[in-house]
């Protein structure tokens, strides 16, 4: 048996942490001297302590460590995979913050964005489409829906053209729980299968449209252009669901600077 100081040196874990793990019931000493109440540890406990330290350094908190510590290997691996995905999302979120900081720096240094967005008005006809509509965690999750729709189309030998578009049904911008519908124009309507449905979209007689060149971050500037245009053209007001067409994106263009996106906002004329 080792006294707590000896065990601390051998395991490279501080006495303070050993006492803390004991207090929270995560890692108890092998025995406590009934006369001196000194903690005593055994060499057999070292693998357990090493696992605790590994989990702690991997981002697990005390309650999460306690949950997986004595579980079977399959459960342990499952929890590690979940933590891995959680950390990946944090990294992605932080990278997006860095990109926004860089964009803000450019806008400050340049005074304003050098991009010019030409707003045009056109009518959009009704389309026969294969549709997949679902609430997704955020706008970035739209890509997984396109993968599902593409796989469905391939299984049923449905050709996907370049005229596919997304419809955003929420009345406001949402950071989560986004109601998005993907639409693939088809030559004829088929039989609905689960969430994959055939429909005819509503024609839009008055649609404001602009093209966005380059990275997806440029979309913010396009909406600013829409706002300025609508303020000048106050006889129009926004109605209905906005649309987005990615003519060139990650699936057919490797250079983000060459992406081409069309944003569409339905309008009503105020008499």
């Amino acid at each position: 048996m080792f006294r707590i100081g000896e065990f601390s040196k051998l395991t490279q874990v501080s006495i303070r942490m050993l006492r803390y793990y004991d207090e929270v019931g995560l890692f108890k000493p092998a025995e406590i001297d009934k006369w001196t109440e000194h903690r005593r540890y055994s060499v057999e406990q070292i693998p357990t302590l090493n696992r605790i330290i590994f989990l702690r350094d991997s981002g697990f908190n005390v309650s999460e460590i306690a949950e997986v510590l004595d579980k079977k290997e399959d459960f342990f691996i499952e929890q590690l995979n979940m933590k891995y995905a959680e950390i990946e999302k944090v990294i992605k979120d932080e990278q997006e913050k860095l990109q926004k900081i860089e964009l803000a720096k450019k806008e400050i240094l340049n005074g304003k964005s050098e991009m010019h967005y030409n707003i045009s008005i056109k009518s959009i006809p009704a389309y026969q489409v294969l549709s997949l509509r679902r609430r997704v965690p955020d706008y970035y999750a739209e890509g997984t829906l396109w993968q599902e729709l593409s796989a469905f189309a391939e299984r049923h030998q449905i050709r996907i053209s370049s005229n596919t578009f997304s419809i955003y049904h929420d009345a406001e911008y949402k950071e989560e729980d986004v109601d998005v519908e993907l639409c693939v124009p088809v030559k004829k309507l088929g039989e609905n299968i689960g969430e994959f449905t055939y429909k005819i979209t509503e024609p839009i007689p008055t649609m404001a449209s602009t093209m966005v060149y380059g990275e997806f971050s440029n979309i913010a500037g396009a909406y600013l252009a829409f706002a300025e245009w609508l303020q000048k053209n106050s006889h129009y007001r926004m109605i209905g669901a906005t649309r987005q067409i990615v003519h060139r994106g990650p699936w057919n263009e490797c250079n983000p600077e060459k992406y081409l996106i069309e944003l569409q906002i339905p309008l009503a004329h105020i008499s």
Side-chain angles (χ1 to χ4, degrees):
M1 290 289 182
F2 302 99
R3 291 176 294 180
I4 191 169
E6 296 169 331
F7 195 69
S8 171
K9 288 182 179 180
L10 291 169
T11 59
Q12 298 291 284
V13 178
S14 69
I15 292 176
R16 181 183 65 83
M17 289 307 300
L18 290 172
R19 287 174 174 163
Y20 172 70
Y21 292 149
D22 182 10
E23 290 170 2
V24 298
L26 188 61
F27 185 72
K28 293 287 187 180
E31 65 179 42
I32 297 178
D33 189 291
K34 64 180 180 179
W35 304 109
T36 64
E37 296 188 351
H38 289 166
R39 296 172 173 86
R40 302 284 185 179
Y41 297 87
S42 70
V43 69
E44 289 80 13
Q45 290 183 282
I46 292 178
T48 300
L49 181 60
N50 286 342
R51 175 169 282 198
I52 291 172
I53 300 304
F54 166 77
L55 290 169
R56 181 199 67 187
D57 293 345
S58 298
F60 287 76
N61 59 39
V62 169
S63 61
E64 291 172 331
I65 294 173
E67 184 179 0
V68 304
L69 194 58
D70 299 322
K71 295 294 190 301
K72 293 182 179 179
E73 186 176 282
D74 289 347
F75 182 82
F76 184 64
I77 295 297
E78 179 184 345
Q79 295 303 305
L80 287 177
N81 287 336
M82 290 175 60
K83 180 59 67 172
Y84 188 95
E86 178 184 319
I87 294 172
E88 269 193 326
K89 185 179 184 306
V90 170
I91 292 173
K92 178 183 174 183
D93 291 343
E94 295 302 314
Q95 287 175 336
E96 289 170 5
K97 290 178 184 177
L98 290 176
Q99 291 174 357
K100 290 179 180 179
I101 289 172
E102 288 298 323
L103 182 62
K105 285 166 59 179
K106 288 179 181 178
E107 290 182 350
I108 292 170
L109 292 174
N110 295 334
K112 65 175 184 177
S113 173
E114 296 179 356
M115 282 196 167
H116 300 283
Y117 300 94
N118 180 46
I119 309 296
S120 62
I121 299 295
K122 60 183 179 180
S123 62
I124 303 296
Y127 290 105
Q128 291 185 154
V129 300
L130 168 63
S131 164
L132 174 60
R133 181 176 178 178
R134 187 184 301 163
R135 288 195 173 276
V136 295
D138 52 40
Y139 290 99
Y140 296 101
E142 182 181 333
T144 60
L145 283 190
W146 279 115
Q147 291 175 0
E148 287 186 44
L149 187 55
S150 297
F152 178 87
E154 184 176 354
R155 288 195 305 271
H156 294 81
Q157 299 181 334
I158 301 168
R159 183 181 176 187
I160 296 181
S161 70
S162 59
N163 296 321
T164 60
F165 55 93
S166 305
I167 303 177
Y168 303 102
H169 290 279
D170 295 306
E172 61 181 301
Y173 176 83
K174 299 183 70 176
E175 295 182 350
E176 56 185 22
D177 194 30
V178 178
D179 185 358
V180 60
E181 180 178 9
L182 311 185
C183 295
V184 175
V186 293
K187 291 183 178 180
K188 62 179 182 179
L189 299 179
E191 182 180 350
N192 297 339
I193 302 177
E195 293 179 290
F196 300 93
T197 60
Y198 291 88
K199 60 184 287 188
I200 299 176
T201 61
E202 292 290 331
I204 309 294
T206 308
M207 183 79 87
S209 172
T210 190
M211 305 301 289
V212 182
Y213 298 91
E215 299 181 2
F216 288 133
S217 58
N218 294 334
I219 289 176
Y223 277 112
L224 175 59
F226 271 129
E228 292 173 345
W229 186 90
L230 284 165
Q231 185 162 296
K232 291 178 183 177
N233 297 270
S234 56
H235 52 284
Y236 286 114
R237 63 180 176 86
M238 299 168 57
I239 59 168
T242 60
R243 298 186 183 187
Q244 177 176 294
I245 306 171
V246 182
H247 297 285
R248 292 197 304 267
W251 53 86
N252 60 2
E253 176 56 62
C254 60
N255 184 359
E257 294 181 359
K258 296 183 179 180
Y259 288 173
L260 178 60
I261 305 147
E262 182 177 354
L263 301 180
Q264 298 179 339
I265 297 179
L267 302 176
H269 192 277
I270 304 174
S271 57

